[in-house]
Amino acid sequence: MEGLPAGVPVSLDDIRADLARRKLGYGRGARMKFEEDELTISGGVRFGETMGSPIAIRIGNTEWPRWVDVMSASPVDVESLPKGRGAPLTRPRPGHADLVGMQKYGFDEARNVLERASARETAARVALGAVARKFLGELGITLVSHTLSIGTVRVPEGSDLPTPTDVATLDADLVRCFDPATSARMVTLIDGAQKDGDTLGGVVEVLAYGVPPGLGSYVHWDRRLDSQLAAALMGIQAIKGVEVGDGFLTTTRPGSQAHDELVTDGSLISRLSDKAGGTEGGMSTGTVLRVRAGMKPIATVPHALRTVDVATGQAAEAHHQRSDVCAVPAAGVVAEAMVALVLANSVIEKFGGDSVPETARNLESYLASIPAAQRTAQTYDERA
Ligand SMILES: Cc1cc2nc3c(=O)[nH]c(=O)nc-3n(C[C@H](O)[C@H](O)[C@H](O)COP(=O)(O)O)c2cc1C
Ligand SMILES: C=C(O[C@@H]1CC(C(=O)O)=C[C@@H](OP(=O)(O)O)[C@H]1O)C(=O)O
């Protein structure tokens, strides 16, 4: 990670805690139980604080010794590989990267594709997201994520939103859902899918509190905050849709009911609602940022899907060793990390600073420079 100022408190325990959260969630497969993340910070941090230089984190995998031959960088005698792990994967899974990956890179089987296409890679994003979150925390910006729906089971419209003080409660919930009754129904649904040899997707929501107004841009399409958040969230494996605020629901409302009206108490401006999810014109508004990501069901369906064996050209069943039944709760933790990375980048872009106190000073002087008649209650009341 490049560009963070000096003075962000970072510890192995902080990063480990977030990596552990990524493994949470009812419906995750066996791999989460036997695989350990071995963490080393190899650059950019000294005595528990960032130094302004690039931060390098290595995540070793305790399972690697079993894969050294199968994924060897040097040529090996393929016949000598273990039967299971070393067997060519020629029955591509519909919905995964297997077939197109083989076509694109000229492989005759999918091992090279699936090891890299795997969401195992999100461990790296969560590790760096943990560092971004620490930086944002120094500036009073805090995040929380939760599960909104799994399959057809959804948190009722209008339910209370979690705040960052609810993170421990959410992490203790089997599916990281803030509504206990809905959580129980989600668990039952996952049990049913597992019994049927099926898999499930769902929707997660990330909230960021304490975001100052004006992050992002209305000038440049690629610097719009909503555009960056959408790209970051869509960049997570299996995410097929992103909503900012009420998203698609807003498209069904007449304009008179779609927007967050502004009122004043004579001193500060308030928004009467938060349908927009904390962005207007590609910039943060200073209200709670709220984004959602929709995940398709896991592609490795135990009740195997129809495919074609590319070694024989014959109809076949897609290969399946093991898989998650549902990884939506874990995707929420990954989404939180991606939002933290985008926000950290946007904060640096707007406020700069080589040390945390310098960035904080720049942020505070910007807020102080906003004329009294333009100040919004949430930003100024909460930061007071
Ligand atoms: C946290 C997480 C865990 C996942 N676990 C699995 C899994 O166990 N099996 C599987 O087939 N896909 C799993 N996926 C989804 C695949 O990575 C994804 O379906 C694949 O990359 C193709 O999706 P795409 O078309 O969006 O790229 C997981 C995704 C995430 C974010
Ligand atoms: C290893 C992780 O997730 C993996 C993501 C994944 C996929 O296809 O994306 C498939 C599964 O791996 P495998 O097919 O080897 O059992 C998951 O366990 C992880 O999140 O650390």
Side-chain angles (χ1 to χ4, degrees), residues 207-270:
L207 303 142
Y209 291 76
V211 178
L215 298 185
S217 172
Y218 66 87
V219 180
H220 317 89
W221 65 268
D222 55 336
R223 291 192 218 164
R224 290 178 64 99
L225 187 62
D226 46 4
S227 134
Q228 293 187 56
L229 289 165
L233 292 169
M234 287 291 280
I236 303 170
Q237 293 83 346
I239 299 301
K240 291 296 127 212
V242 173
E243 287 186 314
V244 180
D246 287 357
F248 285 102
L249 182 60
T250 296
T251 67
T252 65
R253 295 176 173 141
S256 56
Q257 287 159 48
H259 303 295
D260 303 317
E261 289 185 278
L262 302 172
V263 293
T264 180
D265 63 2
S267 131
L268 291 171
I269 298 171
S270 291

Side-chain angles (χ1 to χ4, degrees), residues 267-283:
S267 131
L268 291 171
I269 298 171
S270 291
R271 284 182 170 77
L272 280 179
S273 51
D274 190 18
K275 298 166 190 164
T279 75
E280 285 174 348
M283 300 163 293

Side-chain angles (χ1 to χ4, degrees), residues 1-2 4 10 15 18-19 39 54-59 122-135 337-338 340-341 344:
M1 174 186 261
E2 159 74 357
L4 269 199
V10 173
I15 302 170
D18 268 8
L19 287 175
L39 200 63
I55 296 159
I57 298 172
R58 183 189 155 91
I59 308 170
T122 59
R125 308 196 208 184
V126 168
L128 293 176
V131 179
R133 228 146 53 85
K134 294 294 286 189
F135 168 57
M338 293 310 288
L341 289 164

